[in-house]
Amino acid sequence: MPVQTSDQRLAAQAAAGDESAFRELYRLHVRPVYWIAHGILGSPADAEDVTQETFVTAWRKLPDLELRGESILPWLATICRFQAANRLRQRLRDRAHTTEAVDDTLPSTISVEEQVITAAMAARIAAEVGTMSDLDREIFRLCAAEGYAYQAAAEELGVSHAIVRNRLSRVRTRLRGAVKEASDA
């Protein structure tokens, strides 16, 4: 039997009703989901709301999920984009019913092509992270996904500040290369 990734294991446990497994998935992925929402909406408050709505929807839909990849992030990103699109449509409806003019900075639609590219990019990043050493994956998770400072990550992992700084730099360079390859394809 193939070894499950932590996302696969946690998703299966959460789908069976394990709230602590779902809390762990939330902790692991809340930041990237928030930044996807923020990138679409441009508002921290709306991004926070959409992030919460994304995880509420995910909790409800987890029993039907067949996680095909190693990471649940592409699935969460898709839910997030749909929630953000709904929020944008609601903003437009609200503005249409007021005396204010519609804000021209809001896109009237979310490009399906852009959603597919973003989902593919998230999948490519998740795949690249999956090929890294355990230490590099942990450094990436702590510093990039959870926002730990270098020293805090170093203490958590029992390594030096320099190791965290240097490895994270290499990880970011590697991910930039993977993202460039994916966007060139």
Side-chain angles (χ1 to χ4, degrees), residues 74-102:
W75 182 67
L76 291 170
T78 300
I79 294 171
C80 178
R81 284 190 299 280
F82 281 112
Q83 295 294 332
N86 289 341
R87 179 64 54 113
L88 288 174
R89 283 191 290 277
Q90 183 62 48
R91 277 188 196 170
L92 290 172
R93 279 193 302 273
D94 290 349
R95 285 201 172 93
H97 296 295
T98 65
T99 57
E100 300 172 14
V102 173

Side-chain angles (χ1 to χ4, degrees), residues 21-182:
F22 187 75
R23 276 194 297 278
E24 183 65 11
L25 283 172
Y26 176 87
R27 190 182 64 74
L28 291 170
H29 298 294
V30 67
R31 282 179 185 260
V33 169
Y34 170 84
W35 287 113
I36 291 166
H38 190 275
I40 294 169
L41 298 165
S43 158
D46 282 345
E48 287 175 14
D49 288 347
V50 164
T51 299
Q52 294 307 313
E53 291 163 7
T54 297
F55 282 96
V56 167
T57 300
W59 173 252
R60 211 175 52 249
K61 292 184 173 203
L62 257 173
D64 299 324
L65 174 66
E66 290 182 34
L67 186 58
R68 300 199 191 286
E70 294 182 0
S71 174
I72 199 168
L73 185 57
W75 182 67
L76 291 170
T78 300
I79 294 171
C80 178
R81 284 190 299 280
F82 281 112
Q83 295 294 332
N86 289 341
R87 179 64 54 113
L88 288 174
R89 283 191 290 277
Q90 183 62 48
R91 277 188 196 170
L92 290 172
R93 279 193 302 273
D94 290 349
R95 285 201 172 93
H97 296 295
T98 65
T99 57
E100 300 172 14
V102 173
D103 185 350
D104 291 333
T105 62
L106 290 174
S108 58
T109 60
I110 298 294
S111 162
V112 171
E113 180 181 0
E114 193 174 300
Q115 287 183 16
V116 169
I117 289 169
T118 304
M121 197 72 66
R124 178 67 182 111
I125 290 169
E128 190 66 30
V129 169
T131 66
M132 295 177 185
S133 71
D134 289 344
L135 181 58
D136 285 349
R137 240 189 337 268
E138 282 302 296
I139 289 171
F140 176 76
R141 180 182 65 80
L142 291 173
C143 294
E146 296 187 25
Y148 278 53
Y150 293 157
Q151 188 59 44
E155 290 169 7
E156 176 88 10
L157 297 170
V159 297
S160 72
H161 177 277
I163 287 174
V164 171
R165 186 185 65 239
N166 293 339
R167 284 182 172 251
L168 186 60
S169 176
R170 281 193 296 250
V171 165
R172 286 181 171 151
T173 299
R174 185 172 165 184
L175 290 176
R176 274 193 294 274
V179 167
K180 183 166 178 12
E181 284 176 22

